[in-house]
Each structure stands twice: as structure tokens, then as C-alpha cells.
Amino acid sequence: MNGLEQFWALKPVHKAVAAIILIASGAASAQSITMASTTSTEQSGLFSYLLPEFKKASGLDVKVVALGTGQALDTARRGDADVLFVHDQAAEEKFVADGWAVKRYPVMYNDFILVGPKADPAGTKGKDIVEALKKLAASNTEFVSRGDKSGTHAAELRYWKLAGADSAKGSGYKECGCGMGPALNIAASSGAYVLADRGTWLNFKNRADLAILVEGDTRLFNQYGVMVVNPAKHPHVKAQDAQKFVDWVVSPAGQNVIASYKIGGEQLFFPNAGK
């Protein structure tokens, strides 16, 4: 006897109870959405601060799947997410152009930084990320790359290309295939250099001898965007509830919550929806 036959075989009172349970479980399912996002936003602590405020405003829970941006986009292409919150604008725009989302919304920004040993054996300290990478490649100094097709990894590869070292990064270059937190842990334990987003760095506790060595280069700008997965591609996507999150996070209320998230008095992300 299959599940439907078992249901109709129940006595009327039991059938009513079973129907209530089914309805309740369906309602509970409808009260949450799945967001594919980046390890940097998750590990910075932003979501534990932001999402409870969204739930207060909407009643919706958000289940976060934290991956590199490339993996997050792939997750959405498979229909395993309702909304994306990522930071690789070129890849995001292609995602929209290919029909996987109808619209991309800018939501906030921060910046990338080059982190390394305080003694800075490669002499990278300053504001020029391209010159810093040239020095790392020439000296074969140890550098930890995310190597995970994340937004941070994509930015890092752009900088290596600008440095003319995209195919000759030096013998010290190693890919970990890991998130931002683990990459920082490897750099801390081995005295290596690593490109990081400032948000994760500010929330990172295991700094050991690491320090910020390069910051302030306009090329280190790090923009985040949000997108609802197109229900025309995956009809099961909870597009209406996902749009509620997008509308809230780009609204003055959501933008104010982002701006108010600080660690040690320092703001981690800067809202810029609609700009």
C-alpha cells in the first residue's frame, strides 16, 4: 500500500489529524528560504547579525549554504538555492545574462587586503597590490590561494594577471581549495601571505604574526550583489519569499542593519544599494 492509499484507509478522525500534520509541515517548509552565499559573508559574522533582523521583519528563516561564489552560482544553477548573496560582479552579470536570475541588485561593499607576516620578508607593504604580487612572485615567497573559484579567488587571479605573473606566481604559491577562514589559518600557521576580505579578517581570531600589509588600492574594491534564482529555470524555487529578502536587504531598513554591524567599533560592510 503506498502513502496515498494508506491515507485514504485511515479513519475520518485520523485522516483529519494526518491532514493537519501535512498542512503544518508544508507551512513550516514555506517559512524558510535557502541562500547560497560566500564563506566571507558567513565567516565575517554578518549573517548571524543580519538574518535575525530579517526574520523579525518577515517571519522567514534563511538557511545559508556558505561556499565560494563560483560554487554558490553552480548551486543555484542546479536549483538548490532560492537566492544568491555573492561577490564576483562579472560572474553575477553572466548569471543574469544566461537567464538564471532576472536581475542583480548591488547591496554592499568592503575591500580586499593583502595579509602577511609583520616582518614582511618580500617587502610588499604599501597601497599597490600589483607591485606587491610582483615582489611575491620574484622572491618565491609562500602565498596561500583560496583556489576555490570564490569571489576572492577570482579577484586574486585578476591581480596576478595585472602583475604579469598569472602563469608564473613563484614556487611559494599554493592553492588550498578552501574557504577564507581556513586560508587565513594556513597563512597564520606557516607565515605565508594571503589575499583576504576585510570582513573575515576583522572577525578572525587566530592572527598569530599576521598583519595587513597592502590596503587602500582602488582595485581592491569588493562589491556584493543579491539575486533571486529564476523560477522559469526551476519552478520549485521560492521566488516570492526570496524576493522579500532581496527587497528588505536593499531597503533602508536592511541597509541600516548592514551599516550597523561592527567589530571593535570598525564597520565591516558599507551598504550601497541603488548606487
Side-chain angles (χ1 to χ4, degrees), residues 233-268:
K233 293 280 190 179
H234 294 291
H236 66 274
V237 163
K238 299 174 185 176
Q240 289 186 337
D241 286 342
Q243 189 65 49
K244 288 178 184 177
F245 173 76
V246 170
D247 291 343
W248 179 83
V249 82
V250 301
S251 74
Q255 296 279 281
N256 287 338
V257 175
I258 290 170
S260 66
Y261 180 53
K262 299 178 181 180
I263 292 178
E266 189 166 351
Q267 187 172 335
L268 275 72

PDB file of all heavy atoms in Angstrom, residues 233-268:
ATOM      1  N   LYS A 233      13.524  28.769 -14.657  1.00  0.00           N
ATOM      2  CA  LYS A 233      14.506  27.691 -14.774  1.00  0.00           C
ATOM      3  C   LYS A 233      14.196  26.548 -13.811  1.00  0.00           C
ATOM      4  O   LYS A 233      14.381  25.380 -14.141  1.00  0.00           O
ATOM      5  CB  LYS A 233      15.913  28.230 -14.488  1.00  0.00           C
ATOM      6  CG  LYS A 233      16.437  29.217 -15.511  1.00  0.00           C
ATOM      7  CD  LYS A 233      16.959  28.494 -16.743  1.00  0.00           C
ATOM      8  CE  LYS A 233      17.708  29.434 -17.666  1.00  0.00           C
ATOM      9  NZ  LYS A 233      18.235  28.746 -18.867  1.00  0.00           N
ATOM     10  N   HIS A 234      13.758  26.922 -12.602  1.00  0.00           N
ATOM     11  CA  HIS A 234      13.463  25.925 -11.563  1.00  0.00           C
ATOM     12  C   HIS A 234      12.144  26.314 -10.881  1.00  0.00           C
ATOM     13  O   HIS A 234      12.140  27.132  -9.950  1.00  0.00           O
ATOM     14  CB  HIS A 234      14.597  25.871 -10.535  1.00  0.00           C
ATOM     15  CG  HIS A 234      15.894  25.374 -11.086  1.00  0.00           C
ATOM     16  ND1 HIS A 234      16.083  24.071 -11.482  1.00  0.00           N
ATOM     17  CD2 HIS A 234      17.067  26.022 -11.321  1.00  0.00           C
ATOM     18  CE1 HIS A 234      17.323  23.920 -11.931  1.00  0.00           C
ATOM     19  NE2 HIS A 234      17.937  25.083 -11.854  1.00  0.00           N
ATOM     20  N   PRO A 235      11.027  25.760 -11.321  1.00  0.00           N
ATOM     21  CA  PRO A 235       9.717  26.164 -10.799  1.00  0.00           C
ATOM     22  C   PRO A 235       9.547  25.981  -9.290  1.00  0.00           C
ATOM     23  O   PRO A 235       8.695  26.633  -8.682  1.00  0.00           O
ATOM     24  CB  PRO A 235       8.741  25.259 -11.573  1.00  0.00           C
ATOM     25  CG  PRO A 235       9.469  24.926 -12.836  1.00  0.00           C
ATOM     26  CD  PRO A 235      10.904  24.811 -12.443  1.00  0.00           C
ATOM     27  N   HIS A 236      10.351  25.098  -8.679  1.00  0.00           N
ATOM     28  CA  HIS A 236      10.191  24.868  -7.242  1.00  0.00           C
ATOM     29  C   HIS A 236      10.828  25.970  -6.394  1.00  0.00           C
ATOM     30  O   HIS A 236      10.616  26.012  -5.172  1.00  0.00           O
ATOM     31  CB  HIS A 236      10.816  23.525  -6.853  1.00  0.00           C
ATOM     32  CG  HIS A 236      12.306  23.493  -7.027  1.00  0.00           C
ATOM     33  ND1 HIS A 236      12.899  23.188  -8.223  1.00  0.00           N
ATOM     34  CD2 HIS A 236      13.321  23.761  -6.160  1.00  0.00           C
ATOM     35  CE1 HIS A 236      14.220  23.255  -8.078  1.00  0.00           C
ATOM     36  NE2 HIS A 236      14.490  23.600  -6.836  1.00  0.00           N
ATOM     37  N   VAL A 237      11.584  26.843  -7.001  1.00  0.00           N
ATOM     38  CA  VAL A 237      12.246  27.915  -6.258  1.00  0.00           C
ATOM     39  C   VAL A 237      11.209  28.813  -5.585  1.00  0.00           C
ATOM     40  O   VAL A 237      10.185  29.161  -6.181  1.00  0.00           O
ATOM     41  CB  VAL A 237      13.140  28.749  -7.218  1.00  0.00           C
ATOM     42  CG1 VAL A 237      13.510  30.095  -6.594  1.00  0.00           C
ATOM     43  CG2 VAL A 237      14.399  27.977  -7.569  1.00  0.00           C
ATOM     44  N   LYS A 238      11.481  29.181  -4.340  1.00  0.00           N
ATOM     45  CA  LYS A 238      10.560  30.041  -3.581  1.00  0.00           C
ATOM     46  C   LYS A 238      10.852  31.503  -3.930  1.00  0.00           C
ATOM     47  O   LYS A 238      11.375  32.274  -3.120  1.00  0.00           O
ATOM     48  CB  LYS A 238      10.719  29.790  -2.081  1.00  0.00           C
ATOM     49  CG  LYS A 238      10.399  28.363  -1.669  1.00  0.00           C
ATOM     50  CD  LYS A 238      10.716  28.139  -0.206  1.00  0.00           C
ATOM     51  CE  LYS A 238      10.519  26.688   0.195  1.00  0.00           C
ATOM     52  NZ  LYS A 238      10.916  26.433   1.603  1.00  0.00           N
ATOM     53  N   ALA A 239      10.504  31.864  -5.155  1.00  0.00           N
ATOM     54  CA  ALA A 239      10.905  33.167  -5.693  1.00  0.00           C
ATOM     55  C   ALA A 239      10.256  34.331  -4.948  1.00  0.00           C
ATOM     56  O   ALA A 239      10.901  35.359  -4.724  1.00  0.00           O
ATOM     57  CB  ALA A 239      10.551  33.237  -7.180  1.00  0.00           C
ATOM     58  N   GLN A 240       8.999  34.176  -4.557  1.00  0.00           N
ATOM     59  CA  GLN A 240       8.323  35.282  -3.874  1.00  0.00           C
ATOM     60  C   GLN A 240       8.963  35.569  -2.521  1.00  0.00           C
ATOM     61  O   GLN A 240       9.212  36.731  -2.170  1.00  0.00           O
ATOM     62  CB  GLN A 240       6.828  34.973  -3.708  1.00  0.00           C
ATOM     63  CG  GLN A 240       6.055  35.024  -5.011  1.00  0.00           C
ATOM     64  CD  GLN A 240       4.564  34.851  -4.806  1.00  0.00           C
ATOM     65  OE1 GLN A 240       4.125  34.284  -3.797  1.00  0.00           O
ATOM     66  NE2 GLN A 240       3.772  35.322  -5.749  1.00  0.00           N
ATOM     67  N   ASP A 241       9.238  34.511  -1.755  1.00  0.00           N
ATOM     68  CA  ASP A 241       9.880  34.704  -0.451  1.00  0.00           C
ATOM     69  C   ASP A 241      11.321  35.181  -0.621  1.00  0.00           C
ATOM     70  O   ASP A 241      11.806  36.005   0.158  1.00  0.00           O
ATOM     71  CB  ASP A 241       9.835  33.408   0.356  1.00  0.00           C
ATOM     72  CG  ASP A 241       8.454  33.107   0.906  1.00  0.00           C
ATOM     73  OD1 ASP A 241       7.634  34.047   0.968  1.00  0.00           O
ATOM     74  OD2 ASP A 241       8.184  31.950   1.265  1.00  0.00           O
ATOM     75  N   ALA A 242      12.010  34.661  -1.638  1.00  0.00           N
ATOM     76  CA  ALA A 242      13.380  35.114  -1.906  1.00  0.00           C
ATOM     77  C   ALA A 242      13.385  36.599  -2.257  1.00  0.00           C
ATOM     78  O   ALA A 242      14.275  37.342  -1.827  1.00  0.00           O
ATOM     79  CB  ALA A 242      13.994  34.296  -3.030  1.00  0.00           C
ATOM     80  N   GLN A 243      12.390  37.029  -3.028  1.00  0.00           N
ATOM     81  CA  GLN A 243      12.307  38.451  -3.392  1.00  0.00           C
ATOM     82  C   GLN A 243      12.050  39.315  -2.163  1.00  0.00           C
ATOM     83  O   GLN A 243      12.519  40.464  -2.097  1.00  0.00           O
ATOM     84  CB  GLN A 243      11.210  38.663  -4.438  1.00  0.00           C
ATOM     85  CG  GLN A 243      11.189  40.073  -5.038  1.00  0.00           C
ATOM     86  CD  GLN A 243      12.439  40.379  -5.839  1.00  0.00           C
ATOM     87  OE1 GLN A 243      12.852  39.594  -6.685  1.00  0.00           O
ATOM     88  NE2 GLN A 243      13.061  41.522  -5.563  1.00  0.00           N
ATOM     89  N   LYS A 244      11.327  38.770  -1.185  1.00  0.00           N
ATOM     90  CA  LYS A 244      11.113  39.510   0.070  1.00  0.00           C
ATOM     91  C   LYS A 244      12.445  39.805   0.745  1.00  0.00           C
ATOM     92  O   LYS A 244      12.660  40.900   1.277  1.00  0.00           O
ATOM     93  CB  LYS A 244      10.211  38.711   1.022  1.00  0.00           C
ATOM     94  CG  LYS A 244       8.757  38.648   0.601  1.00  0.00           C
ATOM     95  CD  LYS A 244       7.953  37.792   1.574  1.00  0.00           C
ATOM     96  CE  LYS A 244       6.510  37.649   1.107  1.00  0.00           C
ATOM     97  NZ  LYS A 244       5.719  36.766   2.012  1.00  0.00           N
ATOM     98  N   PHE A 245      13.361  38.809   0.719  1.00  0.00           N
ATOM     99  CA  PHE A 245      14.684  39.046   1.307  1.00  0.00           C
ATOM    100  C   PHE A 245      15.437  40.108   0.524  1.00  0.00           C
ATOM    101  O   PHE A 245      16.017  41.037   1.112  1.00  0.00           O
ATOM    102  CB  PHE A 245      15.509  37.758   1.344  1.00  0.00           C
ATOM    103  CG  PHE A 245      16.928  37.999   1.775  1.00  0.00           C
ATOM    104  CD1 PHE A 245      17.220  38.238   3.111  1.00  0.00           C
ATOM    105  CD2 PHE A 245      17.963  38.042   0.847  1.00  0.00           C
ATOM    106  CE1 PHE A 245      18.524  38.500   3.515  1.00  0.00           C
ATOM    107  CE2 PHE A 245      19.262  38.305   1.238  1.00  0.00           C
ATOM    108  CZ  PHE A 245      19.546  38.537   2.580  1.00  0.00           C
ATOM    109  N   VAL A 246      15.431  39.999  -0.798  1.00  0.00           N
ATOM    110  CA  VAL A 246      16.143  40.973  -1.627  1.00  0.00           C
ATOM    111  C   VAL A 246      15.581  42.376  -1.378  1.00  0.00           C
ATOM    112  O   VAL A 246      16.339  43.330  -1.171  1.00  0.00           O
ATOM    113  CB  VAL A 246      16.044  40.598  -3.119  1.00  0.00           C
ATOM    114  CG1 VAL A 246      16.571  41.730  -3.992  1.00  0.00           C
ATOM    115  CG2 VAL A 246      16.823  39.320  -3.389  1.00  0.00           C
ATOM    116  N   ASP A 247      14.249  42.494  -1.400  1.00  0.00           N
ATOM    117  CA  ASP A 247      13.630  43.813  -1.197  1.00  0.00           C
ATOM    118  C   ASP A 247      13.994  44.394   0.163  1.00  0.00           C
ATOM    119  O   ASP A 247      14.226  45.606   0.290  1.00  0.00           O
ATOM    120  CB  ASP A 247      12.111  43.707  -1.324  1.00  0.00           C
ATOM    121  CG  ASP A 247      11.658  43.408  -2.750  1.00  0.00           C
ATOM    122  OD1 ASP A 247      12.469  43.602  -3.674  1.00  0.00           O
ATOM    123  OD2 ASP A 247      10.496  42.975  -2.920  1.00  0.00           O
ATOM    124  N   TRP A 248      14.049  43.529   1.175  1.00  0.00           N
ATOM    125  CA  TRP A 248      14.382  44.017   2.519  1.00  0.00           C
ATOM    126  C   TRP A 248      15.850  44.424   2.629  1.00  0.00           C
ATOM    127  O   TRP A 248      16.167  45.473   3.167  1.00  0.00           O
ATOM    128  CB  TRP A 248      14.060  42.940   3.564  1.00  0.00           C
ATOM    129  CG  TRP A 248      14.394  43.372   4.958  1.00  0.00           C
ATOM    130  CD1 TRP A 248      13.630  44.146   5.800  1.00  0.00           C
ATOM    131  CD2 TRP A 248      15.603  43.086   5.674  1.00  0.00           C
ATOM    132  NE1 TRP A 248      14.284  44.348   6.987  1.00  0.00           N
ATOM    133  CE2 TRP A 248      15.490  43.712   6.955  1.00  0.00           C
ATOM    134  CE3 TRP A 248      16.747  42.364   5.385  1.00  0.00           C
ATOM    135  CZ2 TRP A 248      16.492  43.631   7.914  1.00  0.00           C
ATOM    136  CZ3 TRP A 248      17.751  42.279   6.331  1.00  0.00           C
ATOM    137  CH2 TRP A 248      17.622  42.906   7.578  1.00  0.00           C
ATOM    138  N   VAL A 249      16.762  43.601   2.083  1.00  0.00           N
ATOM    139  CA  VAL A 249      18.183  43.864   2.286  1.00  0.00           C
ATOM    140  C   VAL A 249      18.644  45.106   1.517  1.00  0.00           C
ATOM    141  O   VAL A 249      19.636  45.734   1.897  1.00  0.00           O
ATOM    142  CB  VAL A 249      19.029  42.621   1.923  1.00  0.00           C
ATOM    143  CG1 VAL A 249      19.296  42.505   0.430  1.00  0.00           C
ATOM    144  CG2 VAL A 249      20.339  42.614   2.693  1.00  0.00           C
ATOM    145  N   VAL A 250      17.925  45.483   0.452  1.00  0.00           N
ATOM    146  CA  VAL A 250      18.287  46.709  -0.274  1.00  0.00           C
ATOM    147  C   VAL A 250      17.447  47.906   0.178  1.00  0.00           C
ATOM    148  O   VAL A 250      17.654  49.022  -0.302  1.00  0.00           O
ATOM    149  CB  VAL A 250      18.167  46.520  -1.806  1.00  0.00           C
ATOM    150  CG1 VAL A 250      19.062  45.401  -2.291  1.00  0.00           C
ATOM    151  CG2 VAL A 250      16.726  46.305  -2.248  1.00  0.00           C
ATOM    152  N   SER A 251      16.516  47.675   1.105  1.00  0.00           N
ATOM    153  CA  SER A 251      15.693  48.766   1.631  1.00  0.00           C
ATOM    154  C   SER A 251      16.473  49.536   2.695  1.00  0.00           C
ATOM    155  O   SER A 251      17.495  49.058   3.200  1.00  0.00           O
ATOM    156  CB  SER A 251      14.420  48.204   2.263  1.00  0.00           C
ATOM    157  OG  SER A 251      14.712  47.582   3.519  1.00  0.00           O
ATOM    158  N   PRO A 252      16.020  50.739   3.061  1.00  0.00           N
ATOM    159  CA  PRO A 252      16.703  51.476   4.134  1.00  0.00           C
ATOM    160  C   PRO A 252      16.849  50.668   5.415  1.00  0.00           C
ATOM    161  O   PRO A 252      17.890  50.743   6.077  1.00  0.00           O
ATOM    162  CB  PRO A 252      15.802  52.701   4.339  1.00  0.00           C
ATOM    163  CG  PRO A 252      15.190  52.931   2.985  1.00  0.00           C
ATOM    164  CD  PRO A 252      14.959  51.554   2.423  1.00  0.00           C
ATOM    165  N   ALA A 253      15.841  49.841   5.753  1.00  0.00           N
ATOM    166  CA  ALA A 253      15.920  49.042   6.984  1.00  0.00           C
ATOM    167  C   ALA A 253      17.072  48.043   6.900  1.00  0.00           C
ATOM    168  O   ALA A 253      17.897  47.943   7.816  1.00  0.00           O
ATOM    169  CB  ALA A 253      14.600  48.312   7.221  1.00  0.00           C
ATOM    170  N   GLY A 254      17.148  47.273   5.802  1.00  0.00           N
ATOM    171  CA  GLY A 254      18.209  46.288   5.652  1.00  0.00           C
ATOM    172  C   GLY A 254      19.572  46.934   5.529  1.00  0.00           C
ATOM    173  O   GLY A 254      20.563  46.449   6.103  1.00  0.00           O
ATOM    174  N   GLN A 255      19.635  48.030   4.800  1.00  0.00           N
ATOM    175  CA  GLN A 255      20.904  48.737   4.618  1.00  0.00           C
ATOM    176  C   GLN A 255      21.422  49.299   5.943  1.00  0.00           C
ATOM    177  O   GLN A 255      22.633  49.279   6.211  1.00  0.00           O
ATOM    178  CB  GLN A 255      20.735  49.861   3.591  1.00  0.00           C
ATOM    179  CG  GLN A 255      20.398  49.358   2.182  1.00  0.00           C
ATOM    180  CD  GLN A 255      21.609  48.898   1.408  1.00  0.00           C
ATOM    181  OE1 GLN A 255      22.359  49.698   0.870  1.00  0.00           O
ATOM    182  NE2 GLN A 255      21.813  47.591   1.351  1.00  0.00           N
ATOM    183  N   ASN A 256      20.521  49.752   6.780  1.00  0.00           N
ATOM    184  CA  ASN A 256      20.926  50.261   8.092  1.00  0.00           C
ATOM    185  C   ASN A 256      21.486  49.163   8.985  1.00  0.00           C
ATOM    186  O   ASN A 256      22.429  49.384   9.750  1.00  0.00           O
ATOM    187  CB  ASN A 256      19.743  50.949   8.791  1.00  0.00           C
ATOM    188  CG  ASN A 256      19.407  52.289   8.175  1.00  0.00           C
ATOM    189  OD1 ASN A 256      20.245  52.907   7.525  1.00  0.00           O
ATOM    190  ND2 ASN A 256      18.175  52.741   8.365  1.00  0.00           N
ATOM    191  N   VAL A 257      20.899  47.952   8.879  1.00  0.00           N
ATOM    192  CA  VAL A 257      21.413  46.829   9.672  1.00  0.00           C
ATOM    193  C   VAL A 257      22.830  46.480   9.217  1.00  0.00           C
ATOM    194  O   VAL A 257      23.729  46.262  10.047  1.00  0.00           O
ATOM    195  CB  VAL A 257      20.489  45.600   9.559  1.00  0.00           C
ATOM    196  CG1 VAL A 257      21.099  44.397  10.281  1.00  0.00           C
ATOM    197  CG2 VAL A 257      19.111  45.901  10.150  1.00  0.00           C
ATOM    198  N   ILE A 258      23.059  46.441   7.908  1.00  0.00           N
ATOM    199  CA  ILE A 258      24.402  46.160   7.388  1.00  0.00           C
ATOM    200  C   ILE A 258      25.398  47.192   7.902  1.00  0.00           C
ATOM    201  O   ILE A 258      26.498  46.851   8.360  1.00  0.00           O
ATOM    202  CB  ILE A 258      24.386  46.148   5.845  1.00  0.00           C
ATOM    203  CG1 ILE A 258      23.631  44.915   5.333  1.00  0.00           C
ATOM    204  CG2 ILE A 258      25.813  46.166   5.280  1.00  0.00           C
ATOM    205  CD1 ILE A 258      23.356  44.933   3.838  1.00  0.00           C
ATOM    206  N   ALA A 259      25.024  48.466   7.842  1.00  0.00           N
ATOM    207  CA  ALA A 259      25.927  49.540   8.267  1.00  0.00           C
ATOM    208  C   ALA A 259      26.237  49.482   9.752  1.00  0.00           C
ATOM    209  O   ALA A 259      27.314  49.902  10.193  1.00  0.00           O
ATOM    210  CB  ALA A 259      25.324  50.896   7.915  1.00  0.00           C
ATOM    211  N   SER A 260      25.300  48.949  10.528  1.00  0.00           N
ATOM    212  CA  SER A 260      25.485  48.939  11.982  1.00  0.00           C
ATOM    213  C   SER A 260      26.291  47.749  12.482  1.00  0.00           C
ATOM    214  O   SER A 260      26.616  47.677  13.671  1.00  0.00           O
ATOM    215  CB  SER A 260      24.124  48.964  12.690  1.00  0.00           C
ATOM    216  OG  SER A 260      23.394  47.770  12.443  1.00  0.00           O
ATOM    217  N   TYR A 261      26.633  46.805  11.580  1.00  0.00           N
ATOM    218  CA  TYR A 261      27.423  45.649  12.007  1.00  0.00           C
ATOM    219  C   TYR A 261      28.894  46.040  12.125  1.00  0.00           C
ATOM    220  O   TYR A 261      29.533  46.392  11.128  1.00  0.00           O
ATOM    221  CB  TYR A 261      27.266  44.488  11.033  1.00  0.00           C
ATOM    222  CG  TYR A 261      28.074  43.267  11.431  1.00  0.00           C
ATOM    223  CD1 TYR A 261      27.947  42.729  12.717  1.00  0.00           C
ATOM    224  CD2 TYR A 261      28.970  42.676  10.554  1.00  0.00           C
ATOM    225  CE1 TYR A 261      28.696  41.627  13.098  1.00  0.00           C
ATOM    226  CE2 TYR A 261      29.717  41.559  10.929  1.00  0.00           C
ATOM    227  CZ  TYR A 261      29.577  41.051  12.205  1.00  0.00           C
ATOM    228  OH  TYR A 261      30.322  39.967  12.599  1.00  0.00           O
ATOM    229  N   LYS A 262      29.409  45.986  13.341  1.00  0.00           N
ATOM    230  CA  LYS A 262      30.779  46.407  13.602  1.00  0.00           C
ATOM    231  C   LYS A 262      31.484  45.410  14.520  1.00  0.00           C
ATOM    232  O   LYS A 262      30.837  44.727  15.309  1.00  0.00           O
ATOM    233  CB  LYS A 262      30.809  47.802  14.254  1.00  0.00           C
ATOM    234  CG  LYS A 262      30.207  48.894  13.383  1.00  0.00           C
ATOM    235  CD  LYS A 262      30.222  50.242  14.091  1.00  0.00           C
ATOM    236  CE  LYS A 262      29.603  51.318  13.208  1.00  0.00           C
ATOM    237  NZ  LYS A 262      29.602  52.641  13.860  1.00  0.00           N
ATOM    238  N   ILE A 263      32.789  45.353  14.404  1.00  0.00           N
ATOM    239  CA  ILE A 263      33.623  44.576  15.319  1.00  0.00           C
ATOM    240  C   ILE A 263      34.699  45.506  15.856  1.00  0.00           C
ATOM    241  O   ILE A 263      35.440  46.120  15.079  1.00  0.00           O
ATOM    242  CB  ILE A 263      34.268  43.368  14.618  1.00  0.00           C
ATOM    243  CG1 ILE A 263      33.189  42.340  14.234  1.00  0.00           C
ATOM    244  CG2 ILE A 263      35.303  42.696  15.528  1.00  0.00           C
ATOM    245  CD1 ILE A 263      33.708  41.129  13.503  1.00  0.00           C
ATOM    246  N   GLY A 264      34.764  45.627  17.174  1.00  0.00           N
ATOM    247  CA  GLY A 264      35.736  46.537  17.774  1.00  0.00           C
ATOM    248  C   GLY A 264      35.544  47.965  17.323  1.00  0.00           C
ATOM    249  O   GLY A 264      36.517  48.720  17.191  1.00  0.00           O
ATOM    250  N   GLY A 265      34.293  48.331  17.049  1.00  0.00           N
ATOM    251  CA  GLY A 265      33.992  49.683  16.610  1.00  0.00           C
ATOM    252  C   GLY A 265      34.249  49.937  15.137  1.00  0.00           C
ATOM    253  O   GLY A 265      34.004  51.042  14.644  1.00  0.00           O
ATOM    254  N   GLU A 266      34.722  48.935  14.408  1.00  0.00           N
ATOM    255  CA  GLU A 266      35.033  49.109  12.985  1.00  0.00           C
ATOM    256  C   GLU A 266      33.946  48.484  12.127  1.00  0.00           C
ATOM    257  O   GLU A 266      33.582  47.320  12.308  1.00  0.00           O
ATOM    258  CB  GLU A 266      36.386  48.488  12.648  1.00  0.00           C
ATOM    259  CG  GLU A 266      36.881  48.811  11.252  1.00  0.00           C
ATOM    260  CD  GLU A 266      38.329  48.480  11.039  1.00  0.00           C
ATOM    261  OE1 GLU A 266      39.030  48.145  12.014  1.00  0.00           O
ATOM    262  OE2 GLU A 266      38.780  48.559   9.882  1.00  0.00           O
ATOM    263  N   GLN A 267      33.416  49.253  11.177  1.00  0.00           N
ATOM    264  CA  GLN A 267      32.368  48.788  10.276  1.00  0.00           C
ATOM    265  C   GLN A 267      32.946  47.818   9.269  1.00  0.00           C
ATOM    266  O   GLN A 267      34.001  48.059   8.678  1.00  0.00           O
ATOM    267  CB  GLN A 267      31.743  49.988   9.560  1.00  0.00           C
ATOM    268  CG  GLN A 267      30.526  49.657   8.712  1.00  0.00           C
ATOM    269  CD  GLN A 267      29.833  50.905   8.191  1.00  0.00           C
ATOM    270  OE1 GLN A 267      29.937  51.972   8.784  1.00  0.00           O
ATOM    271  NE2 GLN A 267      29.119  50.770   7.087  1.00  0.00           N
ATOM    272  N   LEU A 268      32.244  46.687   9.058  1.00  0.00           N
ATOM    273  CA  LEU A 268      32.772  45.648   8.161  1.00  0.00           C
ATOM    274  C   LEU A 268      32.284  45.799   6.724  1.00  0.00           C
ATOM    275  O   LEU A 268      33.028  45.495   5.783  1.00  0.00           O
ATOM    276  CB  LEU A 268      32.390  44.252   8.674  1.00  0.00           C
ATOM    277  CG  LEU A 268      33.312  43.645   9.731  1.00  0.00           C
ATOM    278  CD1 LEU A 268      33.147  44.350  11.076  1.00  0.00           C
ATOM    279  CD2 LEU A 268      33.041  42.174   9.882  1.00  0.00           C
TER     280      LEU A 268
END
